[in-house]
Coordinates of all heavy atoms in Angstrom, one line a residue:
M1 N -96.2 -47.5 16.7 CA -97.6 -48.0 16.7 C -97.8 -49.1 17.7 O -97.1 -50.1 17.5 CB -98.1 -48.4 15.3 CG -99.6 -48.5 15.2 SD -100.0 -49.0 13.5 CE -100.0 -50.8 13.6
P2 N -98.5 -48.9 18.8 CA -98.6 -50.0 19.8 C -99.4 -51.2 19.3 O -100.4 -51.0 18.6 CB -99.3 -49.3 21.0 CG -100.1 -48.1 20.4 CD -99.3 -47.8 19.1
Y3 N -98.9 -52.3 19.7 CA -99.6 -53.5 19.4 C -100.8 -53.7 20.4 O -100.7 -53.2 21.6 CB -98.7 -54.8 19.6 CG -97.6 -54.8 18.5 CD1 -96.3 -54.5 18.7 CD2 -98.0 -55.3 17.2 CE1 -95.4 -54.6 17.7 CE2 -97.0 -55.4 16.2 CZ -95.7 -55.0 16.5 OH -94.8 -55.2 15.5
R4 N -101.8 -54.4 20.0 CA -102.8 -54.8 21.0 C -103.1 -56.3 20.8 O -102.9 -56.9 19.8 CB -104.1 -54.0 20.6 CG -104.0 -52.5 21.0 CD -105.3 -51.8 20.8 NE -105.7 -52.0 19.4 CZ -106.8 -51.5 18.9 NH1 -107.6 -50.8 19.7 NH2 -107.2 -51.8 17.7
L5 N -103.6 -56.8 21.9 CA -104.0 -58.3 21.9 C -104.9 -58.5 20.7 O -105.9 -57.8 20.5 CB -104.7 -58.7 23.2 CG -103.8 -58.7 24.4 CD1 -104.6 -59.2 25.6 CD2 -102.6 -59.7 24.2
G6 N -104.7 -59.6 20.0 CA -105.5 -60.0 18.9 C -105.1 -59.4 17.6 O -105.6 -59.8 16.5
D7 N -104.1 -58.5 17.6 CA -103.7 -57.9 16.3 C -103.0 -59.0 15.5 O -102.4 -59.9 16.0 CB -102.6 -56.8 16.6 CG -103.3 -55.5 16.9 OD1 -104.6 -55.4 16.9 OD2 -102.6 -54.5 17.2
D8 N -103.0 -58.7 14.2 CA -102.3 -59.6 13.3 C -100.8 -59.2 13.2 O -100.5 -58.0 13.0 CB -102.9 -59.6 11.9 CG -104.1 -60.4 11.8 OD1 -104.3 -61.4 12.6 OD2 -105.0 -60.2 10.9
V9 N -99.9 -60.1 13.3 CA -98.5 -59.8 13.0 C -97.9 -61.0 12.1 O -98.4 -62.1 12.2 CB -97.6 -59.7 14.3 CG1 -97.9 -58.4 15.0 CG2 -97.8 -60.9 15.2
D10 N -97.0 -60.7 11.3 CA -96.3 -61.7 10.6 C -95.2 -62.3 11.5 O -94.5 -61.6 12.1 CB -95.6 -61.2 9.3 CG -96.6 -60.8 8.2 OD1 -97.8 -61.3 8.3 OD2 -96.2 -60.1 7.3
D11 N -95.1 -63.6 11.5 CA -94.0 -64.3 12.2 C -93.8 -65.7 11.6 O -94.6 -66.2 10.8 CB -94.4 -64.4 13.7 CG -93.2 -64.7 14.5 OD1 -92.0 -64.5 14.0 OD2 -93.3 -65.0 15.7
Y12 N -92.7 -66.2 12.0 CA -92.3 -67.5 11.4 C -93.0 -68.6 12.3 O -92.8 -68.6 13.5 CB -90.8 -67.7 11.5 CG -90.4 -69.1 10.9 CD1 -90.3 -69.3 9.5 CD2 -90.1 -70.2 11.7 CE1 -89.9 -70.5 9.0 CE2 -89.7 -71.4 11.2 CZ -89.6 -71.5 9.8 OH -89.3 -72.7 9.3
C13 N -93.7 -69.5 11.7 CA -94.4 -70.6 12.4 C -93.5 -71.9 12.2 O -93.2 -72.3 11.1 CB -95.8 -70.8 11.9 SG -96.6 -72.3 12.6
I14 N -93.2 -72.5 13.4 CA -92.3 -73.7 13.3 C -93.1 -74.9 12.7 O -92.6 -75.7 12.0 CB -91.8 -74.2 14.6 CG1 -92.2 -73.3 15.8 CG2 -90.3 -74.4 14.6 CD1 -91.9 -73.9 17.1
K15 N -94.4 -74.9 12.9 CA -95.2 -76.0 12.4 C -95.5 -75.9 10.9 O -95.4 -76.8 10.1 CB -96.5 -76.1 13.1 CG -96.4 -76.6 14.6 CD -97.5 -77.4 15.0 CE -97.2 -78.0 16.4 NZ -98.4 -78.7 17.0
C16 N -95.8 -74.6 10.5 CA -96.0 -74.4 9.1 C -94.7 -74.3 8.3 O -94.7 -74.4 7.1 CB -96.9 -73.1 8.9 SG -98.5 -73.2 9.7
K17 N -93.6 -74.0 9.0 CA -92.3 -73.8 8.5 C -92.3 -72.7 7.4 O -91.6 -72.8 6.4 CB -91.8 -75.1 7.8 CG -91.6 -76.2 8.8 CD -90.8 -77.4 8.1 CE -90.4 -78.4 9.2 NZ -91.5 -79.2 9.7
R18 N -93.0 -71.6 7.8 CA -92.9 -70.4 6.9 C -93.5 -69.3 7.7 O -94.1 -69.4 8.8 CB -93.7 -70.7 5.6 CG -95.2 -71.0 5.8 CD -95.8 -71.5 4.5 NE -97.2 -71.9 4.8 CZ -98.2 -71.1 4.6 NH1 -98.1 -69.9 4.2 NH2 -99.5 -71.5 4.9
I19 N -93.4 -68.1 7.1 CA -94.0 -66.9 7.7 C -95.5 -66.9 7.4 O -95.9 -67.1 6.3 CB -93.3 -65.6 7.0 CG1 -91.8 -65.7 7.1 CG2 -93.9 -64.4 7.7 CD1 -91.2 -65.2 8.4
T20 N -96.2 -66.8 8.5 CA -97.7 -66.8 8.4 C -98.2 -65.6 9.2 O -97.5 -65.0 10.0 CB -98.3 -68.1 8.9 OG1 -97.9 -68.3 10.3 CG2 -97.8 -69.3 8.1
N21 N -99.5 -65.4 9.1 CA -100.2 -64.4 9.9 C -100.4 -65.0 11.3 O -100.7 -66.2 11.5 CB -101.6 -64.1 9.4 CG -101.6 -63.1 8.3 OD1 -100.6 -62.3 8.2 ND2 -102.5 -63.2 7.4
H22 N -100.1 -64.2 12.3 CA -100.3 -64.6 13.7 C -101.1 -63.6 14.4 O -101.1 -62.4 14.1 CB -98.9 -64.7 14.4 CG -98.1 -65.9 14.0 ND1 -97.6 -66.0 12.7 CD2 -97.8 -67.0 14.7 CE1 -96.9 -67.2 12.7 NE2 -97.0 -67.8 13.8
A23 N -101.9 -64.1 15.4 CA -102.6 -63.2 16.3 C -101.9 -63.1 17.6 O -101.3 -64.1 18.1 CB -104.0 -63.8 16.6
I24 N -101.8 -61.9 18.1 CA -101.0 -61.7 19.4 C -101.9 -62.2 20.5 O -103.0 -61.8 20.7 CB -100.7 -60.2 19.6 CG1 -99.8 -59.7 18.4 CG2 -100.0 -59.9 20.9 CD1 -99.7 -58.1 18.5
V25 N -101.3 -63.1 21.3 CA -102.1 -63.6 22.5 C -101.5 -63.1 23.8 O -102.2 -63.1 24.8 CB -102.1 -65.2 22.5 CG1 -102.9 -65.7 21.4 CG2 -100.7 -65.7 22.5
S26 N -100.3 -62.6 23.8 CA -99.8 -61.9 25.0 C -98.8 -60.8 24.7 O -98.0 -61.0 23.7 CB -99.3 -62.8 26.1 OG -98.0 -63.2 25.8
L27 N -98.8 -59.7 25.4 CA -97.9 -58.6 25.2 C -96.9 -58.4 26.3 O -97.2 -58.7 27.5 CB -98.7 -57.3 25.0 CG -99.5 -57.2 23.8 CD1 -100.5 -56.0 23.9 CD2 -98.7 -56.9 22.6
M28 N -95.7 -58.0 26.0 CA -94.7 -57.6 27.0 C -94.1 -56.3 26.6 O -93.5 -56.2 25.6 CB -93.7 -58.7 27.2 CG -93.0 -58.7 28.5 SD -91.7 -60.0 28.6 CE -92.8 -61.4 28.7
A29 N -94.2 -55.3 27.5 CA -93.7 -54.0 27.1 C -94.1 -53.5 25.8 O -93.3 -53.0 25.0 CB -92.1 -54.0 27.3
E30 N -95.4 -53.7 25.5 CA -95.9 -53.2 24.2 C -95.4 -54.0 23.0 O -95.7 -53.6 21.8 CB -95.8 -51.7 24.0 CG -96.5 -50.9 25.1 CD -96.5 -49.4 24.7 OE1 -95.8 -49.0 23.8 OE2 -97.2 -48.7 25.4
D31 N -94.7 -55.0 23.2 CA -94.2 -55.9 22.1 C -94.9 -57.2 22.2 O -95.2 -57.7 23.3 CB -92.7 -56.1 22.1 CG -92.0 -55.0 21.4 OD1 -92.6 -54.3 20.6 OD2 -90.8 -54.8 21.8
P32 N -95.2 -57.9 21.1 CA -95.8 -59.2 21.2 C -94.9 -60.2 21.9 O -93.7 -60.2 21.7 CB -96.0 -59.6 19.7 CG -95.9 -58.4 18.9 CD -95.0 -57.4 19.7
A33 N -95.4 -60.9 22.9 CA -94.6 -61.9 23.6 C -95.0 -63.3 23.1 O -94.1 -64.1 22.8 CB -94.8 -61.8 25.1
K34 N -96.3 -63.5 23.0 CA -96.7 -64.8 22.5 C -97.7 -64.6 21.3 O -98.5 -63.6 21.4 CB -97.4 -65.7 23.6 CG -96.4 -66.1 24.6 CD -96.6 -67.6 24.9 CE -95.4 -68.0 25.8 NZ -95.3 -69.5 25.8
V35 N -97.6 -65.4 20.3 CA -98.5 -65.2 19.2 C -99.1 -66.6 18.8 O -98.5 -67.7 19.2 CB -97.7 -64.7 18.0 CG1 -97.3 -63.2 18.2 CG2 -96.5 -65.5 17.6
R36 N -100.2 -66.6 18.1 CA -100.8 -67.8 17.7 C -101.0 -67.8 16.1 O -101.5 -66.8 15.6 CB -102.2 -68.0 18.3 CG -103.0 -69.2 17.8 CD -104.3 -69.3 18.5 NE -104.0 -69.6 19.9 CZ -104.9 -69.3 20.8 NH1 -106.1 -68.8 20.5 NH2 -104.6 -69.5 22.1
C37 N -100.5 -68.8 15.5 CA -100.5 -69.0 14.1 C -102.0 -69.0 13.6 O -102.7 -69.8 14.2 CB -99.8 -70.2 13.7 SG -99.8 -70.6 11.9
R38 N -102.3 -68.2 12.7 CA -103.7 -68.2 12.1 C -103.9 -69.4 11.3 O -105.1 -69.7 10.9 CB -103.9 -67.0 11.2 CG -103.8 -65.6 12.0 CD -105.2 -65.3 12.5 NE -105.3 -63.9 12.8 CZ -106.2 -63.4 13.7 NH1 -107.1 -64.2 14.2 NH2 -106.2 -62.1 13.9
T39 N -102.9 -70.1 10.8 CA -103.1 -71.2 10.0 C -103.2 -72.5 10.7 O -104.1 -73.3 10.5 CB -101.9 -71.4 9.0 OG1 -101.7 -70.1 8.3 CG2 -102.1 -72.5 8.0
C40 N -102.3 -72.8 11.7 CA -102.4 -74.1 12.4 C -102.8 -73.9 13.9 O -102.8 -74.8 14.7 CB -101.1 -74.8 12.3 SG -99.7 -74.0 13.2
Y41 N -103.0 -72.6 14.4 CA -103.4 -72.3 15.7 C -102.3 -72.8 16.8 O -102.7 -73.1 17.9 CB -104.7 -72.9 16.1 CG -105.8 -72.4 15.2 CD1 -106.2 -73.1 14.1 CD2 -106.3 -71.1 15.4 CE1 -107.2 -72.6 13.2 CE2 -107.3 -70.6 14.5 CZ -107.7 -71.3 13.4 OH -108.6 -70.8 12.6
N42 N -101.1 -72.8 16.3 CA -100.0 -73.1 17.3 C -99.6 -71.9 18.0 O -99.3 -70.9 17.4 CB -98.8 -73.8 16.5 CG -97.7 -74.1 17.4 OD1 -97.8 -74.6 18.5 ND2 -96.5 -73.7 16.9
D43 N -99.5 -71.9 19.3 CA -99.0 -70.8 20.1 C -97.5 -70.9 20.3 O -97.0 -72.0 20.5 CB -99.7 -70.8 21.6 CG -101.1 -70.3 21.5 OD1 -101.6 -70.2 20.4 OD2 -101.7 -70.2 22.6
H44 N -96.8 -69.8 20.2 CA -95.4 -69.8 20.4 C -94.9 -68.4 20.7 O -95.6 -67.5 20.5 CB -94.6 -70.5 19.3 CG -94.8 -69.8 18.0 ND1 -94.2 -68.6 17.6 CD2 -95.7 -70.0 17.0 CE1 -94.6 -68.2 16.4 NE2 -95.5 -69.1 16.0
D45 N -93.7 -68.3 21.2 CA -93.1 -67.0 21.5 C -92.9 -66.3 20.2 O -92.6 -66.9 19.1 CB -91.7 -67.2 22.1 CG -91.8 -67.7 23.5 OD1 -92.9 -67.6 24.1 OD2 -90.8 -68.2 24.0
F46 N -93.2 -65.0 20.2 CA -93.0 -64.1 19.1 C -91.5 -64.1 18.7 O -90.6 -63.8 19.6 CB -93.5 -62.7 19.3 CG -93.4 -61.8 18.2 CD1 -94.0 -62.2 17.0 CD2 -92.8 -60.6 18.3 CE1 -94.0 -61.3 15.9 CE2 -92.7 -59.7 17.2 CZ -93.3 -60.1 16.0
R47 N -91.1 -64.4 17.5 CA -89.7 -64.4 17.2 C -89.3 -63.4 16.1 O -88.3 -63.5 15.5 CB -89.2 -65.8 16.8 CG -90.0 -66.4 15.6 CD -89.6 -67.9 15.4 NE -90.6 -68.8 16.1 CZ -90.2 -69.7 17.0 NH1 -89.0 -69.8 17.4 NH2 -91.1 -70.4 17.5
R48 N -90.1 -62.4 15.9 CA -89.8 -61.3 15.0 C -89.4 -61.8 13.6 O -88.4 -61.3 13.0 CB -88.7 -60.4 15.6 CG -89.1 -59.8 16.9 CD -87.9 -59.1 17.5 NE -88.3 -58.6 18.9 CZ -89.0 -57.6 19.1 NH1 -89.4 -56.8 18.1 NH2 -89.4 -57.3 20.4
C49 N -90.1 -62.8 13.2 CA -89.9 -63.4 11.8 C -88.5 -64.0 11.7 O -88.1 -64.4 10.5 CB -90.0 -62.3 10.7 SG -91.7 -61.8 10.6
E50 N -87.7 -64.2 12.8 CA -86.5 -64.9 12.6 C -86.7 -66.4 12.5 O -87.4 -66.9 13.4 CB -85.6 -64.5 13.8 CG -84.9 -63.2 13.7 CD -84.2 -62.8 15.0 OE1 -83.9 -63.7 15.8 OE2 -84.0 -61.6 15.2
I51 N -86.1 -67.0 11.6 CA -86.2 -68.4 11.4 C -85.2 -69.1 12.3 O -84.0 -68.9 12.1 CB -86.0 -68.8 9.9 CG1 -87.0 -68.1 9.0 CG2 -86.1 -70.3 9.7 CD1 -86.7 -68.1 7.6
P52 N -85.7 -70.0 13.2 CA -84.7 -70.6 14.1 C -83.9 -71.7 13.3 O -84.4 -72.3 12.4 CB -85.6 -71.3 15.1 CG -86.9 -71.5 14.4 CD -87.0 -70.4 13.4
P53 N -82.7 -71.9 13.7 CA -81.9 -73.0 13.1 C -82.5 -74.3 13.3 O -83.0 -74.6 14.3 CB -80.5 -72.9 13.8 CG -80.8 -72.2 15.1 CD -81.9 -71.3 14.8
S54 N -82.6 -75.1 12.2 CA -83.3 -76.4 12.3 C -82.4 -77.4 13.1 O -81.2 -77.1 13.3 CB -83.5 -77.0 10.9 OG -82.2 -77.3 10.3
K55 N -83.0 -78.5 13.5 CA -82.2 -79.5 14.3 C -81.0 -80.0 13.4 O -80.0 -80.3 14.0 CB -83.1 -80.6 14.7 CG -83.9 -80.3 16.0 CD -84.7 -81.4 16.5 CE -85.5 -81.0 17.7 NZ -86.4 -82.1 18.2
K56 N -81.3 -80.2 12.1 CA -80.2 -80.6 11.3 C -79.0 -79.7 11.3 O -77.9 -80.1 11.4 CB -80.7 -80.8 9.8 CG -81.2 -82.1 9.5 CD -81.5 -82.2 8.0 CE -82.2 -83.5 7.6 NZ -82.6 -83.5 6.2
D57 N -79.3 -78.4 11.2 CA -78.2 -77.4 11.2 C -77.5 -77.5 12.5 O -76.3 -77.4 12.5 CB -78.8 -76.0 11.0 CG -79.2 -75.8 9.5 OD1 -78.8 -76.6 8.7 OD2 -79.9 -74.8 9.3
L58 N -78.2 -77.6 13.6 CA -77.6 -77.6 14.9 C -76.6 -78.9 15.0 O -75.5 -78.8 15.5 CB -78.6 -77.7 16.0 CG -79.3 -76.4 16.3 CD1 -80.4 -76.6 17.4 CD2 -78.4 -75.3 16.8
K59 N -77.1 -80.0 14.4 CA -76.3 -81.2 14.5 C -75.0 -81.1 13.6 O -73.9 -81.4 14.0 CB -77.1 -82.4 14.0 CG -77.1 -83.6 14.9 CD -77.9 -84.7 14.3 CE -77.9 -85.9 15.4 NZ -78.8 -87.0 14.9
K60 N -75.2 -80.5 12.5 CA -74.0 -80.2 11.6 C -73.0 -79.3 12.3 O -71.8 -79.6 12.3 CB -74.5 -79.4 10.3 CG -74.8 -80.3 9.2 CD -75.0 -79.5 7.9 CE -76.0 -80.1 7.0 NZ -76.5 -79.1 6.0
M61 N -73.5 -78.3 13.0 CA -72.6 -77.4 13.7 C -71.9 -78.1 14.8 O -70.7 -77.9 15.0 CB -73.3 -76.2 14.2 CG -73.6 -75.1 13.2 SD -74.7 -73.8 13.8 CE -73.7 -73.2 15.2
Q62 N -72.6 -79.0 15.5 CA -72.0 -79.7 16.6 C -70.9 -80.7 16.1 O -69.8 -80.7 16.6 CB -73.1 -80.5 17.3 CG -72.7 -80.9 18.7 CD -73.8 -81.7 19.4 OE1 -74.9 -81.9 18.8 NE2 -73.6 -82.2 20.6
L63 N -71.2 -81.4 15.0 CA -70.2 -82.3 14.4 C -69.0 -81.5 13.9 O -67.8 -81.9 14.2 CB -70.8 -83.0 13.2 CG -71.7 -84.2 13.5 CD1 -72.3 -84.7 12.2 CD2 -70.9 -85.3 14.1
F64 N -69.2 -80.4 13.3 CA -68.1 -79.5 12.8 C -67.2 -79.1 14.0 O -66.0 -79.2 13.9 CB -68.7 -78.3 12.1 CG -67.7 -77.4 11.5 CD1 -67.0 -77.9 10.4 CD2 -67.5 -76.1 12.0 CE1 -66.1 -77.0 9.8 CE2 -66.6 -75.3 11.3 CZ -65.9 -75.8 10.2
N65 N -67.8 -78.7 15.1 CA -67.0 -78.3 16.2 C -66.3 -79.4 16.8 O -65.2 -79.3 17.3 CB -68.0 -77.6 17.3 CG -68.4 -76.3 16.9 OD1 -67.8 -75.6 16.1 ND2 -69.6 -75.8 17.4
E66 N -66.9 -80.6 16.8 CA -66.2 -81.8 17.4 C -65.0 -82.2 16.5 O -64.0 -82.5 17.1 CB -67.2 -83.0 17.5 CG -68.0 -83.0 18.7 CD -69.1 -84.0 18.7 OE1 -69.0 -84.9 17.8 OE2 -70.1 -83.9 19.5
V67 N -65.2 -82.1 15.2 CA -64.0 -82.3 14.3 C -62.9 -81.4 14.6 O -61.7 -81.7 14.7 CB -64.5 -82.3 12.9 CG1 -63.3 -82.3 11.9 CG2 -65.4 -83.5 12.6
L68 N -63.3 -80.1 14.7 CA -62.3 -79.1 14.9 C -61.5 -79.3 16.2 O -60.3 -79.3 16.3 CB -63.0 -77.7 15.0 CG -63.2 -77.0 13.7 CD1 -63.8 -75.6 14.0 CD2 -61.9 -76.9 12.9
A69 N -62.3 -79.7 17.3 CA -61.7 -79.9 18.6 C -60.8 -81.2 18.6 O -59.8 -81.2 19.2 CB -62.8 -80.0 19.6
G70 N -61.3 -82.2 17.8 CA -60.6 -83.5 17.8 C -59.3 -83.5 17.0 O -58.4 -84.2 17.4
S71 N -59.2 -82.7 16.0 CA -58.1 -82.8 15.1 C -56.8 -82.2 15.7 O -55.7 -82.5 15.3 CB -58.4 -82.2 13.7 OG -58.7 -80.8 13.9
G72 N -57.0 -81.2 16.6 CA -55.9 -80.4 17.1 C -55.2 -81.0 18.3 O -54.2 -81.7 18.2
A73 N -55.8 -80.9 19.4 CA -55.2 -81.0 20.7 C -54.8 -82.5 21.1 O -53.6 -82.7 21.4 CB -56.0 -80.4 21.8
P74 N -55.7 -83.5 21.1 CA -55.4 -84.7 21.8 C -54.1 -85.4 21.3 O -53.3 -85.8 22.1 CB -56.6 -85.6 21.5 CG -57.7 -84.6 21.3 CD -57.0 -83.4 20.6
P75 N -53.8 -85.6 20.0 CA -52.6 -86.3 19.6 C -51.3 -85.6 20.1 O -50.4 -86.2 20.5 CB -52.6 -86.2 18.0 CG -54.0 -86.0 17.7 CD -54.6 -85.2 18.8
A76 N -51.3 -84.3 20.0 CA -50.1 -83.6 20.5 C -49.9 -83.8 21.9 O -48.7 -83.9 22.4 CB -50.3 -82.1 20.2
A77 N -51.0 -83.8 22.7 CA -50.8 -84.0 24.1 C -50.3 -85.4 24.5 O -49.5 -85.5 25.3 CB -52.2 -83.8 24.8
E78 N -50.7 -86.4 23.7 CA -50.2 -87.8 24.0 C -48.7 -87.9 23.7 O -48.0 -88.5 24.4 CB -51.0 -88.8 23.1 CG -52.2 -89.3 23.7 CD -53.0 -90.3 22.8 OE1 -52.3 -91.0 22.0 OE2 -54.2 -90.2 22.8
D79 N -48.3 -87.3 22.6 CA -46.9 -87.3 22.3 C -46.0 -86.6 23.3 O -45.0 -87.1 23.7 CB -46.6 -86.7 20.9 CG -47.2 -87.5 19.8 OD1 -47.5 -88.7 20.1 OD2 -47.3 -87.0 18.6
A80 N -46.5 -85.5 23.8 CA -45.7 -84.7 24.6 C -45.6 -85.2 26.0 O -44.5 -85.2 26.6 CB -46.3 -83.2 24.6
A81 N -46.7 -85.7 26.6 CA -46.8 -86.0 28.0 C -45.8 -87.1 28.4 O -45.0 -86.9 29.3 CB -48.2 -86.4 28.4
P82 N -45.7 -88.3 27.8 CA -44.8 -89.3 28.2 C -43.3 -89.0 28.0 O -42.4 -89.4 28.7 CB -45.2 -90.6 27.4 CG -46.4 -90.2 26.6 CD -46.5 -88.7 26.6
A83 N -43.1 -88.2 26.9 CA -41.7 -87.9 26.5 C -41.0 -87.0 27.5 O -39.8 -87.1 27.7 CB -41.7 -87.3 25.1
E84 N -41.7 -86.1 28.0 CA -41.0 -85.0 28.8 C -40.2 -85.5 30.0 O -39.1 -85.1 30.1 CB -42.1 -84.0 29.2 CG -42.1 -82.8 28.3 CD -43.1 -81.8 28.7 OE1 -43.1 -81.4 29.9 OE2 -44.0 -81.3 27.9
P85 N -40.7 -86.4 30.8 CA -39.9 -86.8 32.0 C -38.6 -87.5 31.5 O -37.5 -87.2 32.1 CB -40.8 -87.8 32.7 CG -42.2 -87.5 32.2 CD -42.0 -87.0 30.8
D86 N -38.6 -88.3 30.5 CA -37.4 -89.0 30.0 C -36.4 -87.9 29.5 O -35.2 -88.0 29.9 CB -37.7 -89.9 28.8 CG -38.4 -91.2 29.3 OD1 -38.4 -91.4 30.5 OD2 -38.9 -91.9 28.5
D87 N -36.9 -87.0 28.7 CA -36.0 -86.0 28.1 C -35.3 -85.2 29.2 O -34.1 -84.8 29.2 CB -36.7 -85.0 27.2 CG -37.1 -85.8 25.9 OD1 -36.5 -86.9 25.7 OD2 -37.8 -85.2 25.1
A88 N -36.1 -85.0 30.3 CA -35.5 -84.1 31.4 C -34.4 -84.9 32.1 O -33.4 -84.3 32.6 CB -36.6 -83.8 32.4
A89 N -34.5 -86.3 32.2 CA -33.5 -87.0 33.0 C -32.3 -87.4 32.1 O -31.2 -87.4 32.6 CB -34.2 -88.3 33.4
K90 N -32.5 -87.7 30.8 CA -31.4 -88.1 30.0 C -30.3 -87.2 29.8 O -29.1 -87.6 29.9 CB -32.0 -88.6 28.6 CG -32.5 -90.0 28.7 CD -33.1 -90.4 27.3 CE -33.8 -91.8 27.4 NZ -34.5 -92.1 26.2
P91 N -30.6 -85.9 29.5 CA -29.4 -85.0 29.1 C -28.3 -85.1 30.2 O -27.1 -85.0 29.8 CB -30.1 -83.7 29.1 CG -31.5 -83.9 28.7 CD -31.9 -85.3 29.4
A92 N -28.6 -85.2 31.4 CA -27.6 -85.2 32.4 C -26.7 -86.4 32.3 O -25.5 -86.3 32.3 CB -28.2 -85.2 33.8
K93 N -27.3 -87.6 32.1 CA -26.5 -88.9 31.9 C -25.7 -88.8 30.7 O -24.5 -89.2 30.6 CB -27.4 -90.1 31.8 CG -28.0 -90.4 33.2 CD -28.9 -91.6 33.1 CE -29.6 -92.0 34.4 NZ -30.5 -93.1 34.2
K94 N -26.4 -88.3 29.6 CA -25.6 -88.3 28.3 C -24.4 -87.4 28.4 O -23.3 -87.7 27.9 CB -26.6 -87.7 27.2 CG -27.3 -88.8 26.5 CD -28.1 -88.2 25.3 CE -29.1 -89.3 24.7 NZ -30.0 -88.7 23.8
S95 N -24.5 -86.3 29.0 CA -23.4 -85.3 29.1 C -22.3 -85.9 29.9 O -21.1 -85.7 29.6 CB -23.9 -84.0 29.6 OG -24.3 -84.2 30.9
K96 N -22.6 -86.8 30.9 CA -21.6 -87.4 31.7 C -20.7 -88.4 30.9 O -19.5 -88.5 30.9 CB -22.2 -88.2 32.9 CG -22.3 -87.3 34.1 CD -22.7 -88.1 35.3 CE -22.8 -87.3 36.5 NZ -23.3 -88.0 37.7
K97 N -21.6 -89.3 30.0 CA -20.9 -90.3 29.2 C -19.9 -89.6 28.2 O -18.9 -90.2 27.9 CB -21.9 -91.1 28.5 CG -22.5 -92.2 29.4 CD -23.5 -93.1 28.6 CE -24.1 -94.1 29.5 NZ -25.1 -94.8 28.8
K98 N -20.4 -88.5 27.7 CA -19.5 -87.8 26.6 C -18.3 -87.3 27.4 O -17.2 -87.2 27.0 CB -20.2 -86.6 26.0 CG -20.6 -87.0 24.6 CD -21.2 -85.7 23.9 CE -21.7 -86.1 22.5 NZ -22.4 -85.0 21.8
Ligands
LIG1 ZN1 -98.6 -72.5 11.8

């Protein structure tokens, strides 16, 4: 069933923070491209009722990723980097002394 400008579609409104009735204000390939909330008259891209992640969720995910990245690599790299040149030079001297 083709959409037409001005048709009602359900979509998620970021301002109302819920699914509301929207009027189609622009179409792309017979799909709604932009819609206007019937409740608050906010225009936005049609998101097919998908609820976007909130800023809080994005921040949580970022923190989580930073913790994951921070706990693993840096300490190991610090330990390994200064030690390697010494270890490479010492074995030769030690074996001579023995
Ligand atoms: Zn709204």
Side-chain angles (χ1 to χ4, degrees):
M1 196 178 89
Y3 289 104
R4 288 183 309 179
L5 290 181
D7 277 359
D8 280 336
V9 287
D10 287 344
D11 198 10
Y12 182 82
C13 174
I14 358 170
K15 292 213 171 172
C16 301
K17 295 190 171 73
R18 61 195 175 91
I19 307 277
T20 60
N21 279 333
H22 286 69
I24 299 171
V25 291
S26 79
L27 287 166
M28 199 182 290
E30 295 189 350
D31 275 335
K34 293 231 169 191
V35 293
R36 175 177 298 156
C37 176
R38 293 271 197 203
T39 304
C40 68
Y41 300 100
N42 177 45
D43 285 8
H44 58 82
D45 292 340
F46 184 56
R47 57 186 96 239
R48 297 171 189 282
C49 293
E50 281 173 20
I51 299 168
S54 68
K55 281 186 181 174
K56 266 188 188 174
D57 284 347
L58 286 175
K59 230 179 186 179
K60 264 190 215 164
M61 280 172 62
Q62 203 181 354
L63 281 175
F64 185 67
N65 287 335
E66 276 171 16
V67 169
L68 275 186
S71 64
E78 268 178 39
D79 287 349
E84 265 182 48
D86 286 347
D87 286 350
K90 276 178 187 171
K93 287 182 184 174
K94 267 184 189 172
S95 62
K96 268 190 182 177
K97 279 183 185 175
K98 251 186 185 177

